[in-house]
Amino acid sequence: MSTLRTFFLSVLYILTSSGLLSAESGILKSFAGCAGRFSAEMEHAWLLNDPKAQDYELRRGGFVSLLEATTTADNAEFVLGHRVNSKHAHARLLQTATFASDEVKASAARRAANRYLDECNLLILGGA
């Protein structure tokens, strides 16, 4: 498994250093967004004493590793900004899903948050 991960990170490094993976590229933006979303899920789970917090922490760590492998000095500001914005947006969804008095609104927020996480899980091996 570590050989596969090393290979995958090597390919990402080559794409980044060759300019094929720019800051605005879809995959880098997805990695940053997913790191932010799993950060929000992890913190929300901690607050609610949810045992899924550890799983979210592991998922977040995977995306952070991918970001560390693909972030350069040229795209670092973009990556951090997108990650933070995604985290805040996802945290708002989770707050609405958990604390909204309107059940329809709460249910829609939870479904939206789950869809975003499903998209993130599809990006990593063994994520589904």
Side-chain angles (χ1 to χ4, degrees), residues 4-22:
L4 185 60
R5 180 179 172 177
T6 302
F7 172 76
F8 184 62
L9 291 175
S10 298
V11 169
L12 287 174
Y13 176 77
I14 291 167
L15 290 173
T16 302
S17 61
S18 68
L20 295 175
L21 191 62
S22 66

Side-chain angles (χ1 to χ4, degrees), residues 78-111:
F78 170 82
V79 168
L80 181 60
H82 188 66
R83 181 177 170 188
V84 168
N85 288 338
S86 295
K87 178 182 175 183
H88 287 291
H90 202 80
R92 284 192 300 274
L93 284 174
L94 296 174
Q95 290 167 358
T96 300
T98 305
F99 302 114
S101 57
D102 180 351
E103 193 56 41
V104 173
K105 201 178 218 182
S107 180
R110 185 72 249 174
R111 282 193 312 275

Side-chain angles (χ1 to χ4, degrees), residues 54-65:
Q54 283 186 320
D55 182 46
Y56 295 137
E57 187 172 8
L58 290 172
R59 298 276 178 188
R60 180 190 143 276
F63 283 106
V64 169
S65 294

